[in-house]
Amino acid sequence: MESLLYEYAWLIPVLPLVGATLVGVGLISVNKFTNQLRQLNAAFIITLLGVSMAMSFALLWSQIQGHGSYTSTFEWAAAGSFHLTMGYIIDPLTAVMLVIVCTVALLVMIYTDGYMAHDPGYVRFYSYLSIFSSSMLGLVISPNLVQIYIFWELVGMCSYLLIGFWYDRKAAADACQKAFVVNRVGDFGLLLGMLGLYWATGSFEFEIMGDRLAELVSSGALAGGLAALFGVLVFLGPVAKSAQFPLHVWLPDAMEGPTPISALIHAATMVAAGVFLIARMYPVFEHIPVAMDTIAWTGAFTAFLGASIAITQNDIKKGLAYSTVSQLGYMVMAMGCGAYSAGLFHLMTHAYFKAMLFLCSGSVIHGMEGVVGHDPVLAQDMRLMGGLRKYMPITAFTFLVGNLAICGIPPFAGFWSKDEILGLAFQANPALWGVGWLTAGITAFYMFRMYFLTFEGEFRGMNQTIIAQLKAAAAGLEEEVALGPAFGPGAMDPHELDHDEDHHHSSEPHESPWTMTFPLLVLAVPSFLLGWIGRPWANSFEALVHAPGETRAQVLEHAAHFNWTEFAIMGGNSVGIALIGITVASLMYLQQKIDVGAIAQKIQPLYNLSLNKWYFDEIYDRVFVMGCRRLARQMLEIDYRVVDGAVNFTGLVTVVTGQGLKYFENGRAQFYALIIFAAVLGFVVLSSLG
């Protein structure tokens, strides 16, 4: 039975693809009929993914029981000595990733039924979700770099379709194009790195590439600098997919898509693909110190960058988006430090609590839309929220669980994974630990800022002063920073209410339907308990998913020499800075004992730097967008004056010479004889003069 499970493991990505294909064909051929069967189509797609999830759990259980890795391949292309194989691989890393992708995708699909219930694109959205899940599952089981690249591009295509799902909104159309263009930069680097590694090693297989590259560099057959260049080029792919500096700018804009896809992108699919590729390429990267250092410091800086921007975001989804950027930085830093298992463990815990946080934000938006209407400027701005715990208790509870997990408060899942990264980063480079430790404090501050603004205090959803200023700011009539605080000293009057039922469905928000709250409660369980499998004195996760070249026995030996004193010091430091961040957030946004506006005025340059996202969008627009336009205009001028000029001049010469020569072509023999005589005479004269 077990052998049959591995033999048919290829069905895991194929089943969601079949679902997406059948529903897609229905939408193309009998659109009206297919859209009428809304929930039947959704149930069909969810069922197929459920089968894939069951198979994934069975494979994970088999791997936990000690079953060896299984690879099935066939020759896809051959030319002379070149042979390219395709197939699938099942190992501990694959099994864990399959479970993560399937569980999160399934819960997101259940949630979608409530969130997109009234959307005319309901069936189309499910079809996109299914093919997105299939693409990520195909990427996870790929046994070589070429196959990964194929599914890598499919994941990018699906993200383009889903981010721009509401394509009639300009913001969504711009966001999907931005995501597409930025990812093309990283993918081009990945392609160059792939080709370079194949040129050097003659293989696309991960282990073979790593072993041969190490031999070539150690023997001097390949320069270390060239190997480092290949490694960094490959790393550009994960830099774009996992939104690392400087290609992080697309991810916050991706919030223009529906909230379910925001959860799926940020938790288990697109951004996870980058970290997964670093893990798969670890046998190559570990032999290139320059590449490992580049990965570590890129991750560390990105973690700080994302956190520093998140502290001033007022859009609940964009705040969570920059949180994802920061947490991905932790994972990438871990990989660069050699903390292979710790990075993947944080990828797993983060997938569950971040999916829950995003789905909670969608629940909040769903509840707010009943009050302020279907306007994302109003429904997503935390300055119009407050006091929602009273109206949405399940959403508030699960958001708090996710908050405690991401802030690294024990015994929640995020504590065990983040603490392990910080501990191993300290061993590798104390400076990296310092950046990660400081970022942990900022994370706790901005996450509880979001919680207090959204769920505590008085409800501000019908404050017409705030609504008017938000609309004006969105229309560009006044600067966003000119909007006064919605809390504390100088706040607008929360009692300026408009009870006009023509503009609002209700005067207060409401809890979401069970199809939306059920996935939240399910995700709260791993957000609380999952970290226990990675406890450092008996690390079951590391025993299963350990670095290539390391054995299970070595992992168990490390656990046997666990140092409680070191754990207490490192864990105490990380929890301490998180508690400081939570305390400051409480004083500023819950107890309102600190004037937020006064602090913002005192540090106006830093506040504006964070509020304007370090001006990356403006810099990129001026340097790349406007620069490319200037270059295009210059090339157009060259085309007009040089290329077209040369062609036009050639035509003019032809016309002029043709018009002149026609007078010499008159058909009279005497005239031709005269020309010949003149030519001979001229030749004689020149000869005599010489």
Side-chain angles (χ1 to χ4, degrees):
M1 185 66 182
E2 192 172 51
S3 61
L4 283 175
L5 177 65
Y6 282 87
E7 187 177 342
Y8 289 98
W10 55 270
L11 285 172
I12 294 175
V14 169
L15 288 174
L17 179 62
V18 169
T21 302
L22 293 177
V23 173
V25 169
L27 287 171
I28 293 171
S29 56
V30 282
N31 183 275
K32 187 175 180 180
F33 177 73
T34 304
N35 277 308
Q36 286 175 344
L37 303 175
R38 292 162 66 88
Q39 291 191 316
L40 184 62
N41 281 299
F44 174 63
I45 285 175
I46 290 173
T47 300
L48 289 178
L49 186 63
V51 175
S52 294
M53 184 181 73
M55 294 180 68
S56 300
F57 271 107
L59 287 171
L60 178 60
W61 179 252
S62 175
Q63 289 293 307
I64 291 173
Q65 297 304 308
H67 193 287
S69 298
Y70 179 90
T71 304
S72 176
T73 59
F74 63 92
E75 190 170 84
W76 188 57
S81 60
F82 174 79
H83 296 272
L84 182 61
T85 60
M86 293 291 176
Y88 62 94
I89 181 173
I90 304 297
D91 60 5
L93 174 58
T94 301
V96 168
M97 289 298 298
L98 288 175
V99 167
I100 293 172
V101 175
C102 286
T103 51
V104 173
L106 184 73
L107 291 170
V108 166
M109 286 184 180
I110 295 172
Y111 178 95
T112 296
D113 177 65
Y115 191 85
M116 302 286 286
H118 304 292
D119 196 288
Y122 177 96
V123 177
R124 177 167 61 95
F125 190 71
Y126 266 101
S127 181
Y128 287 174
L129 283 179
S130 190
I131 194 172
F132 195 19
S133 304
S134 174
S135 300
M136 185 62 192
L137 292 169
L139 188 151
V140 165
I141 66 171
S142 297
N144 59 59
L145 200 49
V146 172
Q147 190 171 329
I148 277 188
Y149 189 79
I150 293 170
F151 284 104
W152 186 271
E153 295 302 326
L154 282 173
V155 167
M157 179 203 73
C158 295
S159 69
Y160 175 83
L161 294 173
L162 284 160
I163 294 169
F165 182 77
W166 289 322
Y167 54 83
D168 53 341
R169 287 172 44 195
K170 184 179 185 301
D174 291 343
C176 68
Q177 291 180 52
K178 185 176 184 179
F180 182 83
V181 171
V182 172
N183 274 276
R184 294 291 68 71
V185 176
D187 293 355
F188 183 61
L190 172 60
L191 180 61
L192 292 178
M194 284 172 50
L195 297 175
L197 287 172
Y198 180 78
W199 168 79
T201 64
S203 176
F204 288 113
E205 310 294 324
F206 305 108
E207 298 288 347
I208 296 174
M209 278 193 296
D211 293 341
R212 290 182 182 174
L213 197 67
E215 293 173 6
L216 290 169
V217 172
S218 61
S219 65
L222 182 69
L226 197 56
L229 175 63
F230 295 156
V232 172
L233 284 172
V234 169
F235 177 57
L236 275 179
V239 165
K241 273 287 189 292
S242 290
Q244 298 296 287
F245 168 82
L247 300 179
H248 64 284
V249 292
W250 69 270
L251 191 58
D253 289 46
M255 298 303 94
E256 295 297 335
T259 301
I261 194 54
S262 300
L264 196 55
I265 285 177
H266 284 250
T269 53
M270 189 158 174
V271 297
V275 179
F276 173 79
L277 181 58
I278 299 174
R280 273 286 185 237
M281 290 292 294
Y282 196 81
V284 176
F285 289 138
E286 67 176 338
H287 299 298
I288 311 174
V290 173
M292 292 291 281
D293 290 341
T294 302
I295 293 170
W297 281 106
T298 299
F301 180 74
T302 304
F304 175 76
L305 173 68
S308 68
I309 296 174
I311 58 177
T312 57
Q313 296 302 303
N314 295 308
D315 184 307
I316 188 170
K317 286 176 67 177
K318 287 197 174 181
L320 290 174
Y322 279 107
S323 168
T324 300
V325 171
S326 182
Q327 295 303 306
L328 289 167
Y330 272 109
M331 301 172 207
V332 172
M333 179 180 73
M335 291 293 179
C337 291
Y340 176 90
S341 298
L344 290 173
F345 186 40
H346 195 53
L347 172 64
M348 180 174 70
T349 59
H350 176 266
Y352 291 108
F353 62 68
K354 182 52 65 68
M356 181 175 65
L357 287 168
F358 263 108
L359 296 182
C360 284
S361 74
S363 180
V364 168
I365 295 166
H366 184 268
M368 286 293 296
E369 284 177 342
V371 180
V372 301
H374 296 275
D375 184 351
V377 172
L378 304 180
Q380 296 176 198
D381 199 298
M382 292 182 288
R383 289 169 292 189
L384 271 178
M385 298 176 188
L388 296 187
R389 179 166 55 86
K390 179 172 64 176
Y391 307 105
M392 311 178 71
I394 298 176
T395 302
F397 168 72
T398 51
F399 196 96
L400 180 60
V401 170
N403 252 20
L404 293 170
I406 197 173
C407 294
I409 304 300
F412 293 86
F415 165 74
W416 305 101
S417 55
K418 187 184 289 187
D419 185 70
E420 187 178 0
I421 290 175
L422 290 176
L424 294 171
F426 186 82
Q427 295 177 16
N429 189 331
L432 289 171
W433 171 85
V435 176
W437 177 79
L438 178 62
T439 301
I442 301 173
T443 300
F445 171 78
Y446 71 70
M447 287 304 303
F448 270 87
R449 169 184 179 267
M450 293 176 67
Y451 177 79
F452 294 142
L453 280 177
T454 305
F455 296 104
E456 302 297 336
E458 293 187 47
F459 180 59
R460 301 178 292 272
M462 298 188 71
N463 187 320
Q464 294 304 302
T465 304
I466 303 177
I467 291 174
Q469 290 190 333
L470 285 174
K471 287 183 175 180
L477 300 180
E478 61 178 294
E479 294 294 328
E480 184 178 7
V481 291
L483 184 61
F487 44 84
M492 290 99 171
D493 183 4
H495 302 291
E496 295 180 15
L497 301 179
D498 178 7
H499 296 285
D500 185 357
E501 293 298 324
D502 294 333
H503 299 334
H504 306 282
H505 303 296
S506 64
S507 60
E508 58 186 37
H510 56 82
E511 185 60 276
S512 300
W514 74 268
T515 51
M516 295 173 66
T517 54
F518 172 72
L520 300 182
L521 292 170
V522 172
L523 286 166
V525 176
S527 299
F528 178 66
L529 295 175
L530 191 60
W532 189 248
I533 67 172
R535 58 197 186 280
W537 59 88
N539 198 327
S540 304
F541 182 85
E542 190 175 6
L544 176 66
V545 185
H546 46 76
E550 195 174 24
T551 64
R552 181 184 175 90
Q554 290 174 317
V555 172
L556 294 175
E557 185 180 350
H558 295 160
H561 293 86
F562 173 69
N563 189 321
W564 279 99
T565 304
E566 182 182 330
F567 171 73
I569 294 172
M570 299 303 298
N573 270 288
S574 63
V575 173
I577 190 68
L579 292 176
I580 291 172
I582 295 171
T583 303
V584 174
S586 172
L587 293 173
M588 293 176 71
Y589 298 99
L590 180 63
Q591 302 176 37
Q592 300 173 8
K593 293 183 177 180
I594 299 177
D595 189 342
V596 180
I599 294 177
Q601 289 296 326
K602 288 180 181 178
I603 56 170
Q604 191 73 27
L606 290 176
Y607 177 80
N608 288 338
L609 182 68
S610 172
L611 186 65
N612 292 285
K613 300 165 284 190
W614 287 41
Y615 299 99
F616 276 109
D617 285 330
E618 290 79 1
I619 293 170
Y620 286 3
D621 181 70
R622 178 167 296 183
V623 174
F624 297 110
V625 177
M626 302 308 296
C628 287
R629 288 180 181 176
R630 282 193 295 270
L631 179 62
R633 282 194 292 268
Q634 291 170 358
M635 295 304 296
L636 181 64
E637 193 72 15
I638 293 173
D639 179 72
Y640 175 73
R641 296 188 179 278
V642 178
V643 179
D644 282 358
V647 173
N648 293 337
F649 178 74
T650 303
L652 179 63
V653 170
T654 303
V655 170
V656 171
T657 53
Q659 288 292 328
L661 287 173
K662 74 179 182 179
Y663 294 105
F664 294 94
E665 299 291 335
N666 54 20
R668 295 179 181 178
Q670 301 93 324
F671 184 72
Y672 296 155
L674 178 62
I675 292 174
I676 294 171
F677 175 75
V680 172
L681 180 62
F683 179 74
V684 171
V685 171
L686 289 173
S687 298
S688 63
L689 290 175

